[in-house]
Amino acid sequence: MKNQNTLPPKRRAIAAAALLALGLPAQAQQAAPDGNDNKLDTVVVTGIRASMQKALEAKRNADAIVDVITAEDVGKFPATNVAEAITTIPGVTIDKAFGQGEKVSILGTDPALNRTLLNGQAVASGDWFFSEQQGRTFNYTLLAPQIVSKVEVYKSPEAWLDEGSIGGTVNISTRKPLELKGLTLAASVSYLYNDRTKSGKPTLSGMFGWKNEANSFGVLMSVQRAEEQIRRDGVESYGTVFGRDYINGKGGSPNSVTTTTTDWSQNPPATMPPSCVGACKTTLLANPNAIAPNSISAHYFDQTRKRDTLSLALQARPLKEMDVEFNLLKVKANYDNLTHSMFAFNGNPWNSLNALTGLTVDGGVITQASFRNGLTVYDLINRRAKVDTDSYDLKLGWKEDRWSASVHAGYSKAAGGTDRQVFGEFLGKANYSYDLSGPVPQLVFGGYQTAPISDIASHMAPAKPGSPLSDPNGFRLDGGGPAGGWHTNPPSATNWSAGWGGNIVAKPTRDQERFFQTDFAVKFDAPVYQVRWGFKHREHETGQTMAGVSLASIKGYGDLSAAQFSPKSVPGNYLSGFGNVGDLSKRFMIDGWALADYINSGKWLAPWQTMPTPSTFSDPSYASNTWTVKESIDAGYVQGDFSHDKLRGNLGLRVVQTSSDSIGWTCLANVSPCPADKYGPTSVKKSYTNALPNLNLTYDLSDTLVLRGSVAKVMSRPNYGDMSSYLWIGDATLTGGGGNPNLAPYKSTNLDFSAEWYFAKNAILAGTVFHKRVNDYVLVTTQKEIHYNQNQQKDTEYDVSRPNNAGSATIQGASLAFQANVGWGLGLLTNYTYADAKAAAGSRLPFNSKHQITFSPYFENDRWSARTTYSWRSKYYTQADRGNFLVTDGQKSLDASINLKLTGQLTLGLDGMNLLDSEYRSYADVPGVANTEKLTRGIYRTGRRYMASLRYTY
């Protein structure tokens, strides 16, 4: 029988020429081209120590500064996504705002400056979080660890690798069929329990792999169904106010020092004094620059995450020189969630700045304050959210002894965002006081009102004692107020301004990318043993659309109380572990979807109102959150790989041209608010070219000591949302945020040096220093802007935060890593990273923790394996929001796992995650304010997670 891998020389030449004519190369973006195959070892190993050996060999043989985690390592980590699995790599940190790793930072850089690739290619990525604008970060919660073969973190670039990273590039490789030993079966069933939700959900996964005896065709398919319930309890604030705001008011609002009210219950009517008199007035006037939270909130977030994943890989080798690969990834994920917040809105300009009755100032912060008939708010948001991702790619490669070529093409798309959201806003007034002097904010109530807020004057006595947070009758939908001056007449079409009770909106997002690339490599018998070159074209489009209807409620018609929407108490362990929070932990919540039905029914309409039609242009906020960003990217590279005596490395150049178009909507009429038929499209186009040279040097000083150096020019494009025309504004807080289509890309010169001492088998002591000089760094700054205020029905001045190119910045630091087996089955992996990031103008850079520590001991014998991982990162700045710089406090995390081999194929495992129920705390960092850490923006806990698993392999 003729060998199917043989072909007459003439036909082989024709096939090779046809491939070269297409200009299609070995997969340059997935891993180093074929000439670099010797750099990464492919030995199949099992167990913690064996997988670490494999990772160390890959690291040692690489010509760049690379860290590797193998599939066995990922499988052993106590992690439910890949982001959490790679935190043991030096310099890698993750943000856990919702209890799981979702954003990866490398060497002190913003997650937006690090690219994540799947098999060398970008994967379209959606986001479920309504308030997040589309970025370039990868949604790690979508990717099941079971499909991963290895994870490579490139901390220094090579020319063949996709541009776009300043901190580093994460390349996640999935398994290939022809790398299997033969028939491969794997299955697992897990149960994940959260001690805050007091519930658990199952996860099922399976994998089938097969290849023929000739090793010329193989198939690998894996499926997974995962479900998890997440609950995040918290205490929040939504911005800050100053003492002078209580003295003077804000935007023309009343104040606590001079504003009087009239008591119409007396005969004759009496003028009542301002709320802040005596000692209150004296202290306030002496501290006009003292700063206070504008609200104290009880936050409740609940989400059910469901993820179905299908991964399919087909690989054929019809000729020994030819390799054909097809990869498919389909992820369908639901992220339905609700956020219900109840808060004292003591900084509201029109209802609370005139309600201050007492205060204490400590270290520049109003740490204690009391209010009479201050505004209270119950905001609820119910969302139906999803993220569906489809990715397909086909690669055809040809490899001869002296040359190789390949072509790679693919398409990836993601649909995410919110299909339907109901937002409800219920208002009330109450007497309350807050106290920031302890470890967590406290809020205590001294009575509350049940009538519409338009009927309540600041001097009135409470209608009921105690706290409104436990009484649904203490909150009503905003019924608006008198138009043209205060009066007591019944509302009509001419004398009443409608309130804003909420809305029903949809904000779906879309993201897609097409790519085509060719790569070539030619080998030589010379110190420059290989030259590679290639070309890649990408078309990317991302955007979002927002449309909906608003509840313009009128007093007496649509201003129902919260009691009409199926109220119930929150779970009994709400805010457990927070300490003394006063009355915040004793609260109710309602059925948000019942409110949605009420809005859709039209029962809230006054006789003169008509039912609104859902539209992008029915509300200025909808139009300003509808945008598209398109990018066309062409890149070419050439790279020479060299080796002489003890010196090896590569020298390359990548040239990339980027064209972008930011599309949005603008009002064509000079009138506020803009009529629905007066919007027109707007477009901002940009084009730029970057030349990105790089040099990697590796010197084998001895059999155990390796020195590395790298110098490179790199670039990173701004986030899509930052490049867009989006805008949001808060009519009550007079703050907002938006995009900037005129942003330029980041550009950086990176210097890296490392020394690696392999002092024993499976052991390393390594040190790295790095320096990044970044130009055109994008930072968010706050400026004054004029926009239409729907609450006040007039143009109003807002503090709006937008991204801008803020000049240059420097990111520099060092890391130290140690890994070794110490005997008796015990081993240790630990590392420390120091990263200092500063902008030339003194501005802080996002997501930079100066200090990061990971400590991970492990034990393994023939039947048992166990591992514990403790990590800590110091505080870091995240963003500018509502006029404040937000800082997330230092975070610690403890995870552990233990596994028992029941048989050669069956393993029982138990994982524990977030075993410390770690607190995620952020605060407003105000320069010059000694007590600024008391200005809490958010304190959250998500609970401990325990997962029991039974795994089968064959």
Side-chain angles (χ1 to χ4, degrees):
M1 182 175 181
K2 182 180 289 188
N3 189 317
Q4 62 178 332
N5 288 329
T6 61
L7 197 68
K10 183 176 181 180
R11 291 180 62 189
R12 288 175 54 192
I14 294 174
L19 182 59
L20 285 170
L22 290 172
L24 308 175
Q27 181 183 342
Q29 314 304 59
Q30 172 174 337
D34 295 326
N36 203 35
D37 286 349
N38 63 317
K39 295 181 182 179
L40 295 178
D41 129 33
T42 58
V43 176
V44 178
V45 292
T46 60
I48 296 176
R49 287 173 293 175
S51 65
M52 287 185 170
Q53 175 189 351
K54 184 178 179 181
L56 282 185
E57 290 174 351
K59 176 181 178 67
R60 182 170 184 170
N61 293 331
D63 284 344
I65 300 176
V66 183
D67 286 292
V68 182
I69 294 180
T70 67
E72 294 81 11
D73 211 1
V74 171
K76 292 291 186 183
F77 275 21
T80 55
N81 70 44
V82 175
E84 295 176 351
I86 64 176
T87 54
T88 56
I89 290 177
V92 175
T93 56
I94 59 176
D95 186 75
K96 292 186 175 183
F98 288 90
Q100 295 186 19
E102 297 187 27
K103 296 179 179 179
V104 173
S105 178
I106 301 175
L107 298 180
T109 57
D110 188 326
L113 305 185
N114 307 299
R115 297 205 67 198
T116 297
L117 309 175
L118 182 64
N119 293 325
Q121 306 297 339
V123 176
S125 183
D127 204 329
W128 58 267
F129 191 38
F130 188 91
S131 299
E132 288 276 356
Q133 298 295 325
Q134 290 281 84
R136 297 182 188 270
T137 55
F138 181 76
N139 187 350
Y140 279 89
T141 65
L142 289 175
L143 196 60
Q146 289 83 352
I147 70 172
V148 175
S149 171
K150 63 185 175 186
V151 180
E152 301 159 289
V153 179
Y154 285 84
K155 297 177 181 176
S156 67
E158 297 188 40
W160 60 266
L161 189 66
D162 265 9
E163 78 291 336
S165 298
I166 287 179
T169 300
V170 180
N171 186 37
I172 303 170
S173 299
T174 57
R175 296 177 173 90
K176 295 182 180 181
L178 296 186
E179 292 177 350
L180 303 175
K181 292 182 178 180
L183 178 64
T184 301
L185 301 174
S188 70
V189 56
S190 303
Y191 186 79
L192 182 59
Y193 175 83
N194 186 300
D195 72 350
R196 188 161 291 271
T197 65
K198 302 296 183 183
S199 65
K201 300 290 184 180
T203 294
L204 303 174
S205 65
M207 186 181 72
F208 166 80
W210 172 86
K211 67 177 182 179
N212 61 10
E213 293 184 0
N215 201 37
S216 61
F217 179 77
V219 58
L220 179 62
M221 182 176 70
S222 66
V223 294
Q224 186 195 55
R225 165 159 288 187
E227 186 173 353
E228 181 176 5
Q229 185 176 0
I230 294 173
R231 202 182 93 203
R232 187 175 77 161
D233 298 350
V235 177
E236 292 182 325
S237 178
Y238 306 118
T240 53
V241 292
F242 289 92
R244 59 179 176 267
D245 296 324
Y246 291 107
I247 298 172
N248 304 314
K250 193 173 182 179
S253 73
N255 64 72
S256 294
V257 175
T258 63
T259 300
T260 60
T261 58
T262 301
D263 185 355
W264 296 96
S265 66
Q266 299 189 38
N267 189 14
T271 299
M272 306 303 291
S275 63
C276 186
V277 296
C280 172
K281 181 177 179 180
T282 301
T283 303
L284 182 60
L285 293 177
N287 294 276
N289 295 320
I291 193 167
N294 74 353
S295 54
I296 303 291
S297 172
H299 163 91
Y300 180 89
F301 173 87
D302 189 280
Q303 181 179 59
T304 298
R305 297 183 173 184
K306 298 179 180 178
R307 180 185 66 206
D308 292 329
T309 303
L310 169 64
S311 174
L312 175 66
L314 303 175
Q315 187 176 11
R317 200 168 287 151
L319 308 171
K320 68 177 183 178
E321 299 88 358
M322 180 181 288
D323 191 79
V324 182
E325 294 181 28
F326 172 77
N327 294 291
L328 174 150
L329 175 67
K330 294 180 72 71
V331 182
K332 286 190 172 294
N334 292 323
Y335 290 85
D336 295 351
N337 63 93
L338 57 85
T339 304
H340 288 220
S341 298
M342 283 184 169
F343 52 99
F345 199 172
N346 55 278
N348 181 269
W350 301 96
N351 294 284
S352 293
L353 290 184
N354 63 335
L356 180 70
T357 59
L359 73 159
T360 300
V361 178
D362 181 14
V365 173
I366 303 176
T367 55
Q368 295 175 318
S370 57
F371 300 84
R372 182 182 65 204
N373 285 318
L375 185 66
T376 55
V377 181
Y378 174 22
D379 276 351
L380 68 91
I381 302 173
N382 282 39
R383 302 183 181 100
R384 291 177 181 164
K386 69 170 187 178
V387 178
D388 294 341
T389 301
D390 295 272
S391 182
Y392 314 86
D393 70 273
L394 177 65
K395 188 187 78 170
L396 175 63
W398 187 280
K399 180 181 178 182
E400 297 279 356
D401 291 339
R402 288 289 184 177
W403 61 269
S404 63
S406 72
V407 58
H408 200 176
Y411 172 67
S412 180
K413 66 176 181 179
T418 299
D419 291 335
R420 189 185 188 211
Q421 170 184 287
V422 58
F423 188 115
E425 186 166 87
F426 296 79
L427 307 180
K429 286 196 172 181
N431 295 356
Y432 51 79
S433 61
Y434 73 73
D435 187 348
L436 308 181
S437 60
V440 64
Q442 296 179 32
L443 183 68
V444 177
F445 286 90
Y448 59 96
Q449 310 289 352
T450 57
I453 64 170
S454 60
D455 293 349
I456 307 300
S458 64
H459 65 269
M460 289 182 175
K464 286 189 174 184
S467 167
L469 303 191
S470 56
D471 183 3
N473 292 300
F475 294 91
R476 307 182 70 88
L477 291 167
D478 182 12
W486 187 83
H487 62 80
T488 59
N489 299 319
S492 70
T494 58
N495 71 4
W496 205 262
S497 298
W500 190 86
N503 57 26
I504 298 177
V505 299
K507 196 177 84 170
T509 64
R510 63 193 183 280
D511 190 51
Q512 63 179 20
E513 178 163 309
R514 294 178 172 85
F515 74 89
F516 174 84
Q517 72 179 64
T518 62
D519 298 90
F520 301 89
V522 177
K523 295 181 179 179
F524 303 95
D525 293 325
V528 179
Y529 65 86
Q530 180 174 241
V531 174
R532 315 181 228 173
W533 68 96
F535 167 80
K536 184 172 186 177
H537 175 75
R538 283 176 279 167
E539 294 283 347
H540 195 102
E541 179 175 324
T542 189
Q544 64 184 33
T545 302
M546 189 172 180
V549 296
S550 295
L551 173 59
S553 45
I554 301 292
K555 175 187 169 183
Y557 295 97
D559 61 337
L560 297 185
S561 74
Q564 307 300 312
F565 301 101
S566 304
K568 64 178 182 179
S569 297
V570 295
N573 66 341
Y574 176 63
L575 292 183
S576 64
F578 281 73
N580 185 7
V581 295
D583 292 327
L584 289 173
S585 61
K586 300 179 284 290
R587 53 158 294 186
F588 70 91
M589 59 189 296
I590 67 171
D591 182 357
W593 296 119
L595 175 62
D597 293 339
Y598 174 69
I599 297 174
N600 284 329
S601 72
K603 294 178 180 179
W604 52 274
L605 295 168
W608 59 88
Q609 292 180 299
T610 58
M611 189 68 182
T613 301
S615 168
T616 294
F617 307 111
S618 62
D619 187 297
S621 65
Y622 302 161
S624 60
N625 275 278
T626 298
W627 54 266
T628 299
V629 173
K630 297 180 179 180
E631 279 185 342
S632 178
I633 302 170
D634 291 306
Y637 76 92
V638 60
Q639 176 171 318
D641 300 311
F642 55 84
S643 178
H644 179 69
D645 195 17
K646 296 182 178 183
L647 181 68
R648 53 191 167 92
N650 53 72
L651 174 66
L653 174 67
R654 189 176 184 92
V655 179
V656 56
Q657 183 180 51
T658 306
S659 298
S660 65
D661 187 5
S662 298
I663 303 167
W665 295 92
T666 187
C667 186
L668 303 178
N670 187 23
V671 60
S672 295
C674 186
D677 60 349
K678 296 299 182 181
Y679 284 94
T682 180
S683 172
V684 178
K685 296 182 178 180
K686 294 177 66 67
S687 183
Y688 48 89
T689 301
N690 298 96
L692 307 173
N694 77 275
L695 172 65
N696 285 293
L697 295 173
T698 300
Y699 188 77
D700 295 308
L701 189 62
S702 69
D703 292 340
T704 59
L705 188 60
V706 179
L707 304 180
R708 302 182 192 272
S710 174
V711 57
K713 287 189 175 295
V714 297
M715 59 85 70
S716 183
R717 302 173 183 88
N719 272 333
Y720 298 116
D722 289 346
M723 295 169 58
S724 75
S725 57
Y726 95 93
L727 172 72
W728 72 266
I729 53 177
D731 290 339
T733 59
L734 301 181
T735 57
N740 180 1
N742 294 305
L743 289 175
Y746 303 78
K747 296 180 285 290
S748 179
T749 301
N750 290 4
L751 300 173
D752 298 270
F753 176 79
S754 73
E756 301 159 8
W757 179 30
Y758 299 87
F759 59 89
K761 184 178 180 181
N762 300 339
I764 185 174
L765 176 63
T768 303
V769 295
F770 55 90
H771 179 95
K772 305 174 190 297
R773 177 71 173 180
V774 187
N775 292 318
D776 290 326
Y777 206 99
V778 176
L779 292 174
V780 176
T781 56
T782 302
Q783 306 292 335
K784 301 290 186 182
E785 297 182 13
I786 302 297
H787 298 284
Y788 184 76
N789 188 313
Q790 295 188 76
N791 285 356
Q792 302 303 316
Q793 297 191 359
K794 64 179 182 180
D795 285 342
T796 308
E797 186 176 76
Y798 293 79
D799 292 320
V800 179
S801 301
R802 294 184 185 272
N804 292 280
N805 291 111
S808 63
T810 300
I811 305 170
Q812 58 188 355
S815 67
L816 186 65
F818 173 85
Q819 175 182 321
N821 298 322
V822 297
W824 305 283
L826 296 171
L828 175 65
L829 183 153
T830 186
N831 58 70
Y832 165 77
T833 301
Y834 171 82
D836 184 29
K838 294 180 180 177
S843 301
R844 60 204 77 196
L845 304 187
F847 291 92
N848 172 248
S849 289
K850 277 195 173 183
H851 306 281
Q852 171 214 344
I853 295 173
T854 299
F855 185 80
S856 184
Y858 58 88
F859 168 80
E860 186 176 47
N861 62 22
D862 291 341
R863 294 194 63 195
W864 292 90
S865 65
R867 185 168 193 164
T868 299
T869 301
Y870 173 83
S871 61
W872 173 83
R873 64 182 299 187
S874 60
K875 65 181 181 181
Y876 54 98
Y877 161 69
T878 55
Q879 61 180 320
D881 179 66
R882 296 177 174 92
N884 298 137
F885 293 108
L886 301 190
V887 171
T888 297
D889 218 345
Q891 297 176 34
K892 56 186 177 181
S893 177
L894 178 64
D895 302 328
S897 68
I898 185 168
N899 294 272
L900 169 63
K901 287 186 177 181
L902 302 176
T903 69
Q905 287 77 41
L906 203 59
T907 301
L908 180 65
L910 178 64
D911 296 327
M913 293 151 281
N914 191 28
L915 293 176
L916 302 177
D917 191 19
S918 299
E919 182 180 88
Y920 185 98
R921 176 190 290 257
S922 63
Y923 61 90
D925 190 10
V926 182
V929 175
N931 227 355
T932 188
E933 292 187 9
K934 292 296 183 181
L935 297 171
T936 297
R937 180 55 63 90
I939 302 174
Y940 308 103
R941 291 181 183 271
T942 56
R944 301 170 182 86
R945 300 154 64 213
Y946 305 95
M947 184 171 67
S949 303
L950 186 64
R951 297 188 294 269
Y952 171 82
T953 58
Y954 173 81

